[in-house]
């Protein structure tokens, strides 16, 4: 029996009052006394025992996107058949922000009526829940936790009353042999079972979906060659010395060991082919939703904090694989590398529209006996599994495992992208330092600015996904409080480079370099507004009094998010959806319709009011404006006439960052340099017009000699022949 660490009596009693007996068993009218550890409670109809109720999180991990357990009370009869479910507690932001809870709970109906006894005995595969678009990970976590907890309860023999006492017997204690450290090669590890693999073709997967009654989209099935490689999946435990030294190299293995706590394990999962085992769930919510580690009825979905991306294997004969992931198994998950375990691959394919069909493939693993030592000893208590909320929260907020990460490999793997980003930052720096020369050439400057905005949107945003977010600011602030670690931020090279550039730019120019030049969503707003102006879409300029009262809204939003992050980072990340960056840039509008509608609405507003979101709603702009007050230089030039009597710059400023009295509000300035173009223009700037007129008048009234010019030569003729002035002098009579 496995008792959750820190929960000697479980938490069933805390949530049982949210459930009626009839919710779990038809005709049930009362609960019996809670008993056991983890606790279960009899469900009765009068004096007739119908079955038992238990809380899934008392038996197995059920942590979702929020980092908190999803708690479900399950009704199961003595034969092991699930009879009813009741969702009693969750903190899932995906469900809280618009997807109906009833729809998510209804997806679990596929489990009701299933015989978990056959699943526990290995006679049947675990039942799969119906996927809800937009809440895939949440639904999978719920379904799998119900199945695994039921299997765990059945295997404990607690459903069969009076089955007899169990007797402790001697057992074998298996441990990893630390003396087995010899480095081999890829083919040797494949041959002796140290590396396990799963190879699937497109045709095999399509046939499996049809046999399971889950048809895939017709257009996808017709356009794929059945003989094409769907996925080649490999896995191995690299915390085992000989395997780790072969695949990671000596230096990589030593770095890994420095990160691992005593008894902690690490796995390599690698893949190639048309299907990615990583998917995109970890980008949106930090969870790898396509692979799951299974052992003894327990399951673990890895999170981004457990993951390190590797460029290649150290073994010289290893194949080049598209995806190589190093996963550290959290110490709170009871994993024994010497016992059999499985990696479950969930294959997701379109079933038409926004629906998905899911098919699981389990790849089993048993560590070869050559890597282990075996000793005899008495049966010991099972290793406890930490499922209490406090322990899980502590893990979810720990930014990094201890030790040196492999961030240097990540930087080496992204050399090209890093080089392009660094060059782009240097080009922008040159633009700012030589701005006076550029703005005197308006046509050239227009090409430079528009070209840079297109680069920012297309390459930096849509291709490289290097969109900064207010979540980065909140994470940084929380890291300062919880224990700052540079490696956590170095793990994302482009984001780190951009933040370093923004930090330096704040000293020179304030928030303008990022907001006006390096923000992909800001670039998208400006480019779409320029297109709208070409199409003669009317442009609106809010009265100064209204504008002045609206721009503080973004500061209020930022302060609210900042305060909320110290209470709950998960809630703050949910509330940070006020930023449309994830929808419009990271996911390229491939998201649920409320998010897409919100982002499109902001862009439409920006067609009439240039950079509407930047001006009034952007919490990231507000976060950058606050430290931007410390800038040390004043690069934007002004004439004494600016603001009195001239108001041209103020009227033409795209974001109304110039006060009617003439001063520039650098907190609101995006550094588009339009005012600097006017500053140098002797056709539009009144001051420069006066300077030009005075210069022209001076030129008209002055002689060439007084202006420092050489007088033009005049041709004189004498007796019909041209002569120079010197000839004429020499021919004069004495």
């Amino acid at each position: 029996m496995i008792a959750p660490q820190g929960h000697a009596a479980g938490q069933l009693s805390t949530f049982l009052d949210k459930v009626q007996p009839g919710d779990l068993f038809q005709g049930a009218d009362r609960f019996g006394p809670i008993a056991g550890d983890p606790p279960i409670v009899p469900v009765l109809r009068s004096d007739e025992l119908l079955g038992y109720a238990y809380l899934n999180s008392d038996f197995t991990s059920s942590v979702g996107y929020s980092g908190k357990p999803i708690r479900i009370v399950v009704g199961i009869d003595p034969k092991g058949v699930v009879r009813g479910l009741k969702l009693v507690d969750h903190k899932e932001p995906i469900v809280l922000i618009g997807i109906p809870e009833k729809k998510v709970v209804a997806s679990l109906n596929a489990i009701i009526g299933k015989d978990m006894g056959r699943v526990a005995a290995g006679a049947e595969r675990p039942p799969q829940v119906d996927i809800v678009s937009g809440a895939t990970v949440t639904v999978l976590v719920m379904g799998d936790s119900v199945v695994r907890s039921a299997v765990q309860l059945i295997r404990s023999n607690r459903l069969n009353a009076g089955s007899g006492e169990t007797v402790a017997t001697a057992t074998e204690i298996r441990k990893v042999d630390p003396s087995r450290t010899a480095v081999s090669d890829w083919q040797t590890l494949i041959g002796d079972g140290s590396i396990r693999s799963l190879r699937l073709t497109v045709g095999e997967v399509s046939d499996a979906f049809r046999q399971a009654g889950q048809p895939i989209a017709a257009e996808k099935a017709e356009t794929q060659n059945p003989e094409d490689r769907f996925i080649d999946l490999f896995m191995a435990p690299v915390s085992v010395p000989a395997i780790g030294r072969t695949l990671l190299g000596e230096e990589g293995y030593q770095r890994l060991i420095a990160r691992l706590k005593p008894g902690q394990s690490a796995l390599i999962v690698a893949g190639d082919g048309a299907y990615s085992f990583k998917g995109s769930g970890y980008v949106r919510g930090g969870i790898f939703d396509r692979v799951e580690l299974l052992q003894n009825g327990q399951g673990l979905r890895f999170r981004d904090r457990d993951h390190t991306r590797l460029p290649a294997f150290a073994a010289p004969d290893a194949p080049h694989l598209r995806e190589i992931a190093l996963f550290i198994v959290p110490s709170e998950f009871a994993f024994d590398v010497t016992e059999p375990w499985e990696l479950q691959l969930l294959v997701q394919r379109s079933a038409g529209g926004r629906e998905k069909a899911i098919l699981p493939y389990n790849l089993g693993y048993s560590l070869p006996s050559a890597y282990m030592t075996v000793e005899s000893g008495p049966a010991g208590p099972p290793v406890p599994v930490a499922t209490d909320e406090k322990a899980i929260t502590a893990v979810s907020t720990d930014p990094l495992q201890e030790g040196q990460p492999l961030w240097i490999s990540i930087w080496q793997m992204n050399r090209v992208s890093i080089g392009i980003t660094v060059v782009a930052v240097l080009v922008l720096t040159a633009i700012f330092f030589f701005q006076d020369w550029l703005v005197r050439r308006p046509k050239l400057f227009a090409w430079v600015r528009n070209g840079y905005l297109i680069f920012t949107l297309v390459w930096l945003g849509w291709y490289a996904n290097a969109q900064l977010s207010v979540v980065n600011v909140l994470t940084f602030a929380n890291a300062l409080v919880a224990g700052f670690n540079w490696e956590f931020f170095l793990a994302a090279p482009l984001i780190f480079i951009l933040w370093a550039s923004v930090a330096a730019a704040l000293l020179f120019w304030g928030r303008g370099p990022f907001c006006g030049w390096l923000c992909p969503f800001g670039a998208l707003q400006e480019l779409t507004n320029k297109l709208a102006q070409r199409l003669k879409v009317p442009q609106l300029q809010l009265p100064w009094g209204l504008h002045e009262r609206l721009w503080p809204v973004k500061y209020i939003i930022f302060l609210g998010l900042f305060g909320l992050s110290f209470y709950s980072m998960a809630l703050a990340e949910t509330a940070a959806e006020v930023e449309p960056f994830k929808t419009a840039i990271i996911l390229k509008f491939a998201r649920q319709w409320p998010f897409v509608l919100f982002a499109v609405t902001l862009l439409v507003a920006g067609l009439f009011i240039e950079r509407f979101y930047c001006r009034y709603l952007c919490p990231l702009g507000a976060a950058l404006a606050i430290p931007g007050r410390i800038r040390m230089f004043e690069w934007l030039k002004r004439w004494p006439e600016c603001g009195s009597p001239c108001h041209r710059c103020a009227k033409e400023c795209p974001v109304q960052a110039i006060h009617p009295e003439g001063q520039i509000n650098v907190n609101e300035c995006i550094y588009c340099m339009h005012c600097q173009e006017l500053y140098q223009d002797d056709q539009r700037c009144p001051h420069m017009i006066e300077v030009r007129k005075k210069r022209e008048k001076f030129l008209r009234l002055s002689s060439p000699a007084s202006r420092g010019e050489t007088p033009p030569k005049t041709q004189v003729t004498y007796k019909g022949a041209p002569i120079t002035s010197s000839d004429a002098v020499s021919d004069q009579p004495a």
Side-chain angles (χ1 to χ4, degrees):
M1 187 188 314
I2 297 180
Q5 183 179 4
H7 280 244
Q11 294 193 344
L12 177 62
S13 60
T14 304
F15 299 98
L16 194 60
D17 59 350
K18 297 183 178 181
V19 185
Q20 297 298 320
D23 296 334
L24 305 177
F25 290 87
Q26 186 174 5
D29 53 22
R30 67 187 182 93
F31 291 117
I34 297 177
D37 181 17
I40 61 176
V41 58
V43 184
L44 307 168
R45 179 170 56 203
S46 297
D47 293 329
E48 179 188 359
L49 175 66
L50 300 180
Y52 299 91
Y54 68 90
L55 189 65
N56 65 328
S57 59
D58 283 342
F59 286 82
T60 188
S61 174
S62 60
V63 178
Y65 265 124
S66 63
K68 302 292 181 67
I70 304 172
R71 305 187 194 277
I72 302 171
V73 175
V74 183
I76 187 169
D77 67 17
K79 295 181 180 180
V81 178
V82 175
R83 296 301 182 184
L85 304 164
K86 178 72 173 182
L87 177 63
V88 292
D89 181 66
H90 74 87
K91 302 294 187 298
E92 291 297 274
I94 292 178
V95 179
L96 295 173
I97 59 179
I99 298 178
E101 186 174 286
K102 290 183 179 179
K103 185 175 181 181
V104 174
V105 175
S107 67
L108 301 179
N109 288 341
I111 299 177
I112 296 177
K114 296 295 183 180
D115 187 350
M116 294 294 106
R118 292 182 58 81
V119 175
E124 288 186 6
R125 302 181 75 173
Q128 296 300 306
V129 298
D130 299 326
I131 298 303
V132 176
S133 179
T136 302
V137 173
T138 298
V139 169
L140 290 175
V141 168
M142 293 168 63
D144 289 353
S145 70
V146 170
V147 171
R148 287 193 301 272
S149 60
V151 168
Q152 187 67 27
L153 177 59
I154 291 168
R155 288 176 176 172
S156 69
N157 293 320
R158 297 176 63 195
L159 295 181
N160 300 315
S163 59
E165 297 181 355
T166 59
V167 179
T169 60
T171 185
E172 292 182 342
I173 301 175
R174 288 180 287 186
K175 298 181 180 179
V176 174
D177 186 357
S179 64
R180 176 73 186 271
T181 60
V183 175
S184 56
D185 53 51
W186 177 269
Q187 291 301 327
T188 299
L189 297 183
I190 287 285
D192 65 12
S194 301
I195 300 175
R196 294 297 309 277
S197 63
L198 172 68
R199 300 173 183 269
L200 298 171
T201 65
V202 171
E204 290 172 341
V205 173
S206 298
D207 291 342
F209 272 104
R210 294 188 185 97
Q211 293 174 8
Q214 300 188 64
I216 60 175
E219 64 273 10
K220 181 174 286 294
E222 292 172 358
T223 57
Q224 292 183 326
N225 185 344
E227 299 302 320
D228 286 347
R229 180 176 53 178
F230 185 77
I231 190 172
D232 288 347
L233 187 68
F234 302 89
M235 67 177 186
V238 288
S239 52
V240 176
I243 300 175
R245 283 186 165 90
T246 301
L247 297 182
L248 302 179
E250 183 62 31
E251 184 179 351
Y253 175 74
Q254 293 301 330
R255 286 198 298 265
L256 171 64
I257 294 303
R259 296 176 61 187
L260 298 180
K261 298 176 182 179
Q264 199 171 18
S265 299
L267 314 175
I268 280 285
V269 180
D272 204 0
Y275 189 71
S276 167
F277 71 84
K278 289 184 176 181
S280 60
Y282 77 102
V283 176
R284 298 189 297 271
I287 294 181
F288 290 84
D289 59 351
R290 294 186 176 183
V291 289
E292 184 172 14
L293 177 64
L294 304 174
Q295 189 178 60
N296 295 329
Q298 306 292 308
L300 170 71
R301 278 195 170 84
F302 294 105
R303 301 186 69 92
D304 51 5
R305 62 175 172 269
D306 309 317
H307 165 256
T308 300
R309 184 180 177 186
L310 300 183
F313 289 115
D317 63 332
H320 177 73
L321 301 177
R322 182 164 58 94
E323 295 177 327
I324 305 176
L326 172 65
F327 292 115
I328 292 180
V329 181
S331 55
E332 287 72 22
F333 180 75
F335 179 74
D336 185 351
V337 72
T338 64
E339 296 292 331
W341 51 275
E342 294 179 319
L343 186 75
Q344 185 179 76
L345 172 70
L346 293 178
V347 177
Q348 305 175 6
R349 304 192 72 175
S350 172
R354 300 182 65 87
E355 299 301 319
K356 290 183 179 180
I358 305 292
L359 192 66
Y361 285 88
N362 284 29
L363 178 58
Y365 190 95
S366 293
L367 186 66
S369 58
Y371 297 110
M372 296 185 291
T373 60
V374 180
E375 302 174 0
S376 297
V383 179
V385 180
T387 58
D388 71 279
E389 190 167 323
K390 183 176 181 181
I392 293 171
T393 303
V395 176
S396 66
T397 56
D398 182 13
L400 274 182
Q401 301 287 350
E402 295 180 1
Q404 182 182 3
L406 302 178
W407 62 269
I408 295 177
S409 298
I410 299 175
W411 282 65
Q412 292 174 344
M413 183 173 49
N414 291 277
R415 285 191 296 264
V416 174
S417 296
I418 291 171
I420 294 174
T421 305
V422 170
V423 170
V425 171
L426 293 176
V427 168
L428 183 60
T429 304
I431 290 172
F432 275 54
F433 272 103
F434 298 101
Q435 64 183 47
D436 289 345
W437 183 87
L438 268 176
V439 295
R440 290 193 184 101
R441 297 159 177 81
K443 291 185 178 179
L444 174 62
F445 179 71
W447 278 100
V448 170
R449 176 156 177 78
N450 291 333
Y452 204 96
L453 291 176
I454 292 172
F455 163 81
T456 297
L457 173 62
V458 177
W459 190 87
L460 202 60
W462 285 339
Y463 176 78
N465 288 340
Q467 169 72 69
L468 303 188
S469 167
V470 71
V471 175
N472 302 134
V473 179
L474 303 179
T475 303
F476 182 81
N478 277 264
L480 292 177
V481 174
F484 186 80
N485 196 318
W486 276 111
E487 286 80 0
F488 179 75
F489 299 95
L490 287 166
L494 301 191
I495 299 297
F496 181 84
I497 291 171
L498 289 178
W499 272 117
S501 304
V502 169
L506 289 175
L507 295 174
F508 286 84
W509 302 285
R511 76 181 181 104
F514 172 75
C515 295
W517 295 79
L518 289 173
C519 177
F521 188 76
L524 177 60
Q525 287 183 98
E526 184 163 332
L527 292 171
T528 52
N529 181 267
K530 288 179 183 292
L531 179 62
Q533 292 185 40
R534 284 183 173 272
L535 297 176
K536 308 300 181 183
V537 174
Q539 299 298 298
L540 305 178
Q541 188 169 26
L542 300 182
W544 176 259
L546 177 60
H547 166 73
E548 197 174 27
R549 286 161 177 78
L550 286 178
W551 62 253
V553 171
K554 60 179 174 286
Y555 294 90
I556 297 173
I557 295 174
F558 168 68
L559 292 176
L561 292 174
F562 187 75
L564 184 61
S565 69
F566 288 101
Y567 170 73
S568 169
M569 191 63 194
L571 288 178
E573 290 181 6
T574 303
E577 288 291 350
V578 70
E579 287 183 330
F581 303 161
K582 185 185 297 184
T583 300
I585 304 300
I586 305 300
L587 301 178
K588 306 173 189 65
F589 297 99
R591 211 177 181 196
Q592 292 73 42
W593 71 264
F595 298 101
V596 175
L597 178 62
F598 176 66
V600 170
T601 299
L602 294 176
L603 290 173
V604 170
L607 300 179
F608 300 92
I609 302 175
E610 187 169 349
R611 286 186 177 251
F612 172 82
Y613 176 78
C614 296
R615 294 198 209 186
Y616 306 122
L617 297 176
C618 182
L620 178 58
L624 295 179
I626 295 172
R629 299 289 296 179
I630 67 173
R631 74 188 189 286
M632 302 174 64
F633 305 97
E634 197 66 60
W635 295 76
L636 300 178
K637 301 176 181 178
R638 310 296 287 152
W639 296 115
E641 295 90 339
C642 293
S644 178
C646 179
H647 298 281
R648 181 154 193 167
C649 288
K651 291 180 179 179
E652 294 190 18
C653 177
V655 293
Q656 290 181 265
I658 302 178
H659 197 277
E661 295 179 358
Q663 68 269 26
I664 297 175
N665 185 351
V666 183
N667 288 346
E668 302 302 310
C669 176
I670 61 169
Y671 227 98
C672 66
M673 299 189 199
H674 180 70
C675 61
Q676 299 306 286
E677 282 189 82
L678 292 176
Y679 179 89
Q680 304 283 0
D681 195 333
D682 61 7
Q683 301 297 321
R684 294 183 293 170
C685 175
H687 177 91
M688 292 302 296
I689 291 173
E690 289 298 319
V691 171
R692 176 176 56 80
K693 288 181 177 179
K694 289 179 180 179
R695 183 175 63 249
E696 292 174 349
K697 181 179 180 180
F698 173 76
L699 291 175
R700 287 195 303 269
L701 297 177
S702 60
S703 64
S706 65
R707 296 196 300 268
E709 299 177 4
T710 303
K713 291 182 178 181
T714 59
Q715 194 175 54
V716 180
T717 60
Y718 177 68
K719 295 182 180 182
I723 61 173
T724 63
S725 56
S726 58
D727 293 332
V729 171
S730 63
D731 287 343
Q732 293 297 318

